[in-house]
Amino acid sequence: MGFEATRVDWALKATGGRGLQPAMDFLLENEGKPVPDLSAVSSGSAPSTAAANASLDEDEQEELEALKAVYGKAAVADGSAAAMAQQEAKSIKCSECGKIFKNTALANFHAEKSGHDQFEESTEEVKPLTEEEKRQKLADLREKMAAKKAVKAKAEAQENLANEAIRRKAGKDINELREELRAKEMIREAEKKRKEKLEDAKARAAIKAQIEADKRERAEKAAREKALREGRSVPGSSAPAPAAAAAPKPAGKDYPETRLQIRLASGGQPYTTTLPSEATLREVAEFIAAQTLSVDVETVSFSLTFPRKTFARSDFSKTLKELGLTPSAVLIAS
C-alpha cells in the first residue's frame, strides 16, 4: 500500500503480529517518525488464542470463523502472521492492461503514460529483478537511449544540411546579383567611353577640316595676290567678293549639342566644352571667363579662323545654331 518494507516490519513487530488493522493503525499513528532498530523494538504481547477469541465481538467472531474456513482452523487459531499476510495487498494492479506495480508512485507513472485509470489492490508480489535481469534491463535502456540519440543526430544533420543549402543558395544569388550589376556598370562605362571617343573623333575631324580649309584659303589668297602683282587673272575664278568669303557657313543639320574648342589669343592650353546648340555666345564667354582670370565677359571677343570672322557684341545674344557653329567649331578668344 505504498509503505516502506522496514516500516511495515516495525509495525508488525510492534503490534505482535495481530493482523492488518492493528498494523495499519500503528503505521498511521507513527507516520513521519524515523524507523528504529527493529532488534530494540519489543514485540507486543501476543494473546493466547482463547483470550483473543474472548475479547472479540460478535462481528469479529464471524470474521474469524470465515478465516478458519478458508485457511484452516490451525492457522487461524495460532494467529499465524503468515496466514494473515496472504490477504494483505502486496502490489497494485492495472485493471485495463493487467500490469502490476510495487507501489503507488509506479502506478501513477503508468497512469500518466498510458492514460489508464482503473487500478486495484493485488496480493501478487512483484518479484525483485535478478542481477542478470537488471543488467539486461540496463542494456535495453541504454540501447533505446542510443537509438533515440542516433535519430536525433540524424535529424539535426539533415536540418544542418538544409540550412547549409539555403545559405549557399543565398550566397550564390548575391554573387550573381553582384556580377550582373558589375557587368551592367562595365557596359555603361564602355558606352560612355565609346561616345567620348566618337565625339573626340568628330572634333578632331572638324578641326582638321578647318585647318585644311585655312591652308587652302591661304594658298588661294597667295595665288591671287601673285597673279595681281603679275597682272594676270586667276584661272577658274573672277575677283571674289570679300563679303562672300566672310559669309557664315550654313546651319546644316539640326544638332542638339555643339562641341567647342576655345583658344586664347595670348596662347596656352585650349579649353574644350560641349554646350546645347541653343546656348548663346554669351554663355560661351561666361564659360571661358570661369576658366581663366585673363578673360572678362564684358570685354572678350570671339573670332573664327575659317572662314575668317569676328563676332560683334550683338552676336552674343544669338545661339550657336544661329551663328553656324554647330556641330563643332574652333573659337579664338581675345
Side-chain angles (χ1 to χ4, degrees):
M1 297 183 69
F3 295 102
E4 299 177 358
T6 55
R7 188 172 292 275
V8 173
D9 294 339
W10 177 31
L12 291 176
K13 188 173 183 181
T15 57
R18 291 197 302 273
L20 176 60
Q21 190 59 44
M24 284 295 299
D25 293 340
F26 181 86
L27 288 171
L28 294 175
E29 291 174 359
N30 295 276
E31 185 177 5
K33 295 181 180 180
V35 178
D37 187 5
L38 297 183
S39 61
V41 177
S42 59
S43 300
S45 58
S48 63
T49 303
N53 292 344
S55 63
L56 298 178
D57 56 20
E58 185 176 354
D59 293 336
E60 291 174 339
Q61 287 286 354
E62 291 180 359
E63 184 179 355
L64 182 59
E65 291 300 327
L67 291 174
K68 287 180 180 180
V70 176
Y71 299 108
K73 295 181 180 180
V76 176
D78 293 340
S80 172
M84 297 295 291
Q86 292 182 3
Q87 287 296 96
E88 296 178 6
K90 297 182 179 180
S91 61
I92 300 175
K93 183 177 182 180
C94 177
S95 302
E96 298 184 34
C97 63
K99 291 184 179 181
I100 59 174
F101 305 96
K102 186 176 181 180
N103 51 46
T104 54
L106 295 176
N108 290 333
F109 180 76
H110 172 72
E112 293 176 1
K113 285 292 186 180
S114 62
H116 299 168
D117 57 0
Q118 300 296 326
F119 295 88
E120 61 182 358
E121 294 182 351
S122 174
T123 57
E124 296 183 37
E125 184 178 2
V126 180
K127 296 180 181 180
L129 298 177
T130 63
E131 293 298 326
E132 182 62 27
E133 289 175 339
K134 289 181 181 179
R135 286 193 295 269
Q136 184 62 37
K137 192 169 184 179
L138 182 60
D140 294 342
L141 181 60
R142 288 176 176 172
E143 184 177 354
K144 289 181 180 179
M145 291 180 65
K148 286 184 178 180
K149 287 183 179 179
V151 172
K152 184 178 180 181
K154 185 177 180 180
E156 289 179 351
Q158 292 177 350
E159 184 178 358
N160 292 335
L161 287 176
N163 293 337
E164 181 66 17
I166 293 173
R167 187 189 64 79
R168 290 182 178 180
K169 186 177 184 302
K172 182 179 179 182
D173 294 341
I174 292 175
N175 290 333
E176 290 178 353
L177 180 60
R178 288 176 178 173
E179 290 296 331
E180 183 178 355
L181 292 176
R182 189 179 294 110
K184 289 181 178 179
E185 185 65 24
M186 292 176 64
I187 292 173
R188 285 196 296 267
E189 290 293 331
E191 182 66 18
K192 183 179 178 181
K193 290 181 178 179
R194 187 186 67 81
K195 289 182 178 180
E196 290 178 352
K197 288 182 178 179
L198 182 60
E199 291 176 356
D200 290 341
K202 289 180 179 180
R204 286 194 297 269
I207 293 171
K208 185 177 180 180
Q210 290 182 357
I211 293 173
E212 293 296 331
D214 193 26
K215 288 180 179 180
R216 286 196 300 271
E217 183 184 6
R218 288 197 297 269
E220 291 175 359
K221 183 178 179 181
R224 286 195 299 271
E225 292 176 352
K226 183 178 180 181
L228 291 175
R229 287 195 301 270
E230 295 177 356
R232 295 182 295 102
S233 61
V234 180
S237 66
S238 57
K249 61 183 179 181
K253 296 183 180 179
D254 188 10
Y255 294 98
E257 293 182 345
T258 300
R259 185 178 179 86
L260 298 175
Q261 185 181 85
I262 305 170
R263 299 177 181 178
L264 299 179
S266 58
Q269 182 70 24
Y271 297 94
T272 304
T273 183
T274 301
L275 295 175
S277 297
E278 298 299 328
T280 62
L281 190 60
R282 183 177 180 83
E283 293 181 44
V284 179
E286 292 174 352
F287 165 76
I288 194 63
Q291 304 300 319
T292 176
L293 297 176
S294 61
V295 175
D296 184 79
V297 177
E298 303 300 332
T299 60
V300 68
S301 62
F302 295 102
S303 60
L304 291 174
T305 58
F306 180 81
R308 291 185 179 278
K309 180 180 179 180
T310 300
F311 296 98
R313 298 300 300 181
S314 59
D315 294 329
F316 275 50
S317 60
K318 296 180 181 180
T319 64
L320 301 178
K321 181 178 179 182
E322 292 173 344
L323 296 173
L325 299 177
T326 58
S328 61
V330 179
L331 294 176
I332 307 298
S334 58

